[in-house]
Amino acid sequence: MDIGELRQDVEEMRDLLVKATRSRVKDIIGVELRKLEHEVSRLEKAAADPVSSTEVPQKKPRPQIQTQTITNYAWDQSDKFMKIYVTIKGVHSLPKERVTCEFGKRSFRLQVEEEENKRRSELYISTLLEDINPEESWYKLKTDTVLLMLKKSTTGKTWPYVTSGEK
């Protein structure tokens, strides 16, 4: 595909992302935009180094990453936030880029890469009891703990449970 066309696609996707109002639509457009940007970057590198683009790339074996599912957490709430406390020994001393959290309307996924490319811990909840505002939700590293602040869509509503499966 022509790199100029891809750049135009990227610009149009950026415009769509700005115009989108629904969080799921923003997530979908964002994923596709990153794919297009990656493709443009790859084509630009290939164009800048024509010798290496004709070579057959050597496949390197990927290191096997063990993923440990986190099943234990504590929670609390205020009028505005649902607070999730996840205990992970030494998390505060990890580089910040090794801790990520993605928020959805009724879900979140916390990932902590404890040993680079070797071991990852993950807490994924896909069925929150109520809606949250993903754009206003955030997380913070504390001593041996990750604090997730899930912004409630309905301020003042008390959640009797964290997930709909706990009913």
Side-chain angles (χ1 to χ4, degrees):
M1 181 170 258
D2 179 45
I3 196 165
E5 288 288 322
L6 280 176
R7 285 186 182 133
Q8 289 177 347
D9 291 347
V10 167
E11 287 307 312
E12 190 168 337
M13 291 289 275
R14 285 184 181 147
D15 290 343
L16 289 171
L17 186 59
V18 170
K19 292 176 184 175
T21 57
R22 299 184 52 81
S23 63
R24 181 168 166 90
V25 173
K26 285 181 179 182
D27 291 343
I28 292 168
I29 293 171
V31 168
E32 293 303 317
L33 176 60
R34 284 189 291 280
K35 287 179 186 177
L36 283 174
E37 289 171 336
H38 179 72
E39 183 67 15
V40 168
S41 175
R42 187 185 67 76
L43 289 173
E44 286 173 341
K45 286 180 185 176
D49 191 8
V51 174
S52 67
S53 65
T54 59
E55 296 174 3
V56 176
Q58 297 289 327
K59 287 192 175 183
K60 294 180 183 176
R62 288 187 178 184
Q64 186 67 27
I65 299 177
Q66 293 180 349
T67 300
Q68 176 184 351
T69 300
I70 299 169
T71 57
N72 194 17
Y73 58 88
W75 62 278
D76 191 12
Q77 63 185 307
S78 66
D79 284 345
K80 296 180 181 179
F81 288 94
M82 190 65 168
K83 304 169 193 174
I84 308 293
Y85 299 88
V86 183
T87 302
I88 300 173
K89 189 171 177 71
V91 71
H92 59 282
S93 59
L94 293 174
K96 289 185 180 190
E97 58 273 5
R98 289 209 198 153
V99 180
T100 60
C101 192
E102 299 168 0
F103 300 98
K105 191 169 182 138
R106 280 207 176 198
S107 66
F108 68 86
R109 180 186 307 269
L110 170 68
Q111 291 184 324
V112 179
E113 193 174 323
E114 296 177 57
E115 294 178 50
E116 192 168 2
N117 295 323
K118 291 185 181 175
R119 192 175 73 195
R120 175 186 305 132
S121 294
E122 177 180 79
L123 173 59
Y124 177 54
I125 295 186
S126 62
T127 56
L128 289 170
L129 184 64
E130 300 287 341
D131 289 349
I132 63 169
N133 186 333
E135 292 81 22
E136 295 183 40
S137 298
W138 50 277
Y139 67 96
K140 181 177 183 178
L141 301 182
K142 297 182 148 295
T143 305
D144 294 333
T145 303
V146 180
L147 169 60
L148 305 174
M149 299 292 286
L150 310 178
K151 178 72 167 86
K152 293 179 178 179
S153 287
T154 307
T155 301
K157 186 168 188 174
T158 302
W159 295 17
Y161 311 100
V162 176
T163 67
S164 59
E166 294 176 74
K167 283 185 177 179

